[in-house]
Amino acid sequence: MLNEIKAFREQYPQVREVDVISIDLPGKVFGKRYSINDLEKLAKGQCKMPAAMHLMCSKGYPVPAKGYGYDDGDPDATIMLIPGSLKYVGWESLPRAQVMAQFSDSEGVDLFWEPRNVLKRVVSGMKRDSYFPVVAFELEFYLLNQESGAEGQARPPVGRLTGQTDGVAVLSIERLSDFGELLSEIIQRCEEQGVATGPVSAELGPGQFEINLHHNDNVLDAADQCVLFQRIVRSIALKHGCRASFMAKPYLDHSGNGFHFHTSLYDGQGNNVLSPDQDEKLRHMVAGLLELLPASMTFLAPNLNSYRRLKPGNNTPLTPNWGYENRSVAVRIPLSDPDNRRIEHRVAGADANPYLAMAVVLAGAHYGLDRQQQPEDPVQTICLDAEGLPTDMRAAIALTEQSEALMHYLGEEFVRVFCAQRTGELSEYENYIPAREYEWYL
């Protein structure tokens, strides 16, 4: 890190401040802004933050989490900078830097509840068995009008060129042009941050877009890039007079924001174990993914709004099933050449924590390979069934709490803390009487 810092400061002498960032359980970015002169001290592990910051609720304040961060004295953790993550931030009013951080306790041990460390644990287990995943993240987002409706509802944005409220024409080039400056700056800033992006497309909802991220054989780096991508999208939208949201279902009558995970798996010699001549391993992976899917839903659909997307008619898989070239199923095998054959996990919403969602996808894949199970036959027709998955957050949490497999892969104490934190946030959310309740029942 010291060499990285030296090179950065030589390249960007005008930078005076650096944001040190991490991501909490709900998937929100938090951190502190330091003087650029503190970077060397940070690199040596001489700075701290409260260890329980990862356990905050979506609004940024503590909720019960099995005793951690709520009544344990709120101890500090040591900040450890992540090599390769020190980058220039050029979209704010002043030139700044940002660097990603991970936390360790007083004995130098990784915090078990930090999302990045959970994913690291799963990846390490796969590598011990000589499985090396290559992954890609694919997620949708909405651009929104900065002015909300009378009761806080989301409103579609107005295009820069047409001056018209955005429509719903899928894959429309005109819609891309209407928001072209904003979308192009997102791509530019992603390049500056080392986030490798692919195609940009207009999606089915008004103001809804998708920018794919490249495949990456470094799973942690891929998840880091996804976190940075989300921060860049939100920041650039504000700069251009919009808001951006990865909320699963901002509009009841329009498409939700999905989050798809593409995964290939290679052996120690660099061979794709999912190639057609090894179809048995692909089927094992699929079987594990489908078996763990119900218990994984707390991570793939982590809040109350997530389940508004998981309804029939929302173009969302609602049954643990799979198929070849079938977008209506939970686990799809896309058409590809043998070297790039992969699975696509299609259930999660874009509000899922990238580290934790990828962790349960890889856990399911490894579980299937380990048990060498067989899935049911692939679905060849459009699937509109909705059975086998929890339909609300409390039901999902109950399944997660009972999953010995997820406890094995993610850590027993982590699963218990995560479920307690999600239950705590849900209880806080429900402890409120909305206007409609008075309108209907007063």
Side-chain angles (χ1 to χ4, degrees):
M1 277 304 307
L2 291 175
N3 289 334
E4 185 177 338
I5 291 167
K6 182 175 182 294
F8 181 90
R9 296 184 69 172
E10 289 174 351
Q11 184 176 0
Y12 300 105
Q14 74 276 28
V15 172
R16 294 288 178 266
E17 296 172 323
V18 56
D19 292 340
V20 179
I21 63 173
S22 187
I23 184 172
D24 61 17
L25 293 185
K28 305 294 184 182
V29 172
F30 70 89
K32 289 184 179 181
R33 181 166 292 170
Y34 288 86
S35 164
I36 198 72
N37 296 322
D38 288 329
L39 268 175
E40 286 79 7
K41 185 167 64 173
L42 284 158
K44 296 175 182 177
Q46 296 175 355
C47 296
K48 300 182 184 297
M49 285 191 208
M53 284 303 303
H54 301 92
L55 305 180
M56 299 295 105
C57 73
S58 295
K59 289 295 289 181
Y61 58 81
V63 293
K66 207 172 178 291
Y68 296 102
Y70 202 73
D71 54 8
D72 66 347
D74 196 18
D76 277 337
T78 300
I79 304 169
M80 304 300 296
L81 303 185
I82 296 174
S85 68
L86 178 60
K87 302 294 182 181
Y88 176 73
V89 175
W91 62 78
E92 295 195 351
S93 57
L94 294 174
R96 293 193 173 94
Q98 74 176 8
V99 63
M100 302 187 77
Q102 54 192 7
F103 289 34
S104 60
D105 63 19
S106 58
E107 297 180 357
V109 178
D110 290 346
L111 289 185
F112 71 85
W113 61 64
E114 183 173 352
R116 194 175 193 272
N117 292 333
V118 177
L119 178 56
K120 184 193 302 184
R121 173 186 173 125
V122 176
V123 173
S124 296
M126 297 189 79
K127 289 183 176 180
R128 282 195 297 270
D129 287 344
S130 297
Y131 291 124
F132 301 91
V134 173
V135 303
F137 294 85
E138 180 182 297
L139 66 169
E140 297 161 330
F141 61 91
Y142 270 97
L143 297 178
L144 307 171
N145 198 306
Q146 279 196 327
E147 295 184 7
S148 301
E151 295 184 3
Q153 307 98 320
R155 296 174 59 221
V158 174
R160 181 66 60 89
L161 297 181
T162 65
Q164 302 295 314
T165 300
D166 190 45
V168 296
V170 67
L171 297 185
S172 166
I173 297 299
E174 286 75 13
R175 290 178 61 203
L176 294 180
S177 298
D178 219 4
F179 296 90
E181 291 184 12
L182 188 161
L183 296 169
S184 293
E185 184 168 358
I186 289 174
I187 300 302
Q188 174 195 343
R189 302 306 180 182
C190 282
E191 289 178 1
E192 292 175 354
Q193 294 285 315
V195 178
T197 58
V200 183
S201 58
E203 292 297 323
L204 194 57
Q208 188 182 36
F209 297 91
E210 179 180 279
I211 301 176
N212 294 345
L213 303 182
H214 281 191
H215 285 77
N216 195 330
D217 61 3
N218 183 329
V219 177
L220 291 175
D221 181 59
D224 292 341
Q225 288 191 32
C226 188
V227 170
L228 294 175
F229 170 76
Q230 291 176 307
R231 183 169 192 238
I232 290 166
V233 169
R234 292 188 179 102
S235 300
I236 301 307
L238 287 175
K239 180 181 175 182
H240 287 260
C242 298
R243 290 182 297 160
S245 176
F246 295 88
M247 185 178 181
K249 192 69 172 169
Y251 303 104
L252 282 177
D253 53 351
H254 291 296
S255 177
N257 283 324
F259 197 173
H260 300 165
F261 304 90
H262 294 257
T263 306
S264 300
L265 208 59
Y266 294 80
D267 61 21
Q269 289 72 47
N271 302 308
N272 187 352
V273 302
L274 305 184
S275 62
D277 60 349
Q278 299 190 58
D279 206 52
E280 197 70 11
K281 287 188 180 296
L282 182 143
R283 295 177 69 89
H284 292 331
M285 279 182 63
V286 168
L289 286 166
L290 298 184
E291 182 172 336
L292 296 195
L293 182 53
S296 300
M297 289 301 293
T298 309
F299 302 96
L300 305 175
N303 60 62
L304 187 145
N305 178 261
S306 308
Y307 295 87
R308 295 192 182 279
R309 174 177 164 270
L310 297 171
K311 305 291 183 185
N314 282 341
N315 297 316
T316 304
L318 302 172
T319 300
N321 54 13
W322 73 291
Y324 297 93
E325 273 299 288
N326 187 344
R327 284 185 167 85
S328 71
V329 297
V331 176
R332 169 180 174 248
I333 313 303
L335 181 66
S336 62
D337 62 83
D339 289 340
N340 294 304
R341 202 171 192 223
R342 65 193 186 278
I343 62 168
E344 180 188 14
H345 198 286
R346 298 178 54 82
V347 178
D351 54 348
N353 184 308
Y355 298 108
L356 300 180
M358 181 54 80
V360 295
V361 169
L362 293 180
H366 193 219
Y367 180 81
L369 289 164
D370 185 56
R371 296 209 164 198
Q372 299 186 4
Q373 295 172 313
Q374 290 292 332
E376 294 185 1
D377 292 338
V379 175
Q380 298 177 333
T381 58
I382 297 299
C383 179
L384 301 178
D385 295 337
E387 58 179 331
L389 295 180
T391 57
D392 66 77
M393 191 171 170
R394 290 194 186 279
I397 291 172
L399 290 176
T400 303
E401 289 176 322
Q402 299 165 15
S403 176
E404 294 183 3
L406 287 182
M407 290 182 184
H408 168 74
Y409 282 101
L410 310 183
E412 181 175 351
E413 188 68 359
F414 168 74
V415 170
R416 298 192 189 285
V417 168
F418 181 81
C419 289
Q421 194 267 354
R422 291 287 81 203
T423 301
E425 174 170 322
L426 181 59
S427 297
E428 284 288 315
Y429 178 89
E430 292 174 334
N431 190 29
Y432 172 77
I433 301 178
R436 172 165 280 198
E437 194 167 331
Y438 287 113
E439 179 186 342
W440 281 43
Y441 304 119
L442 189 63

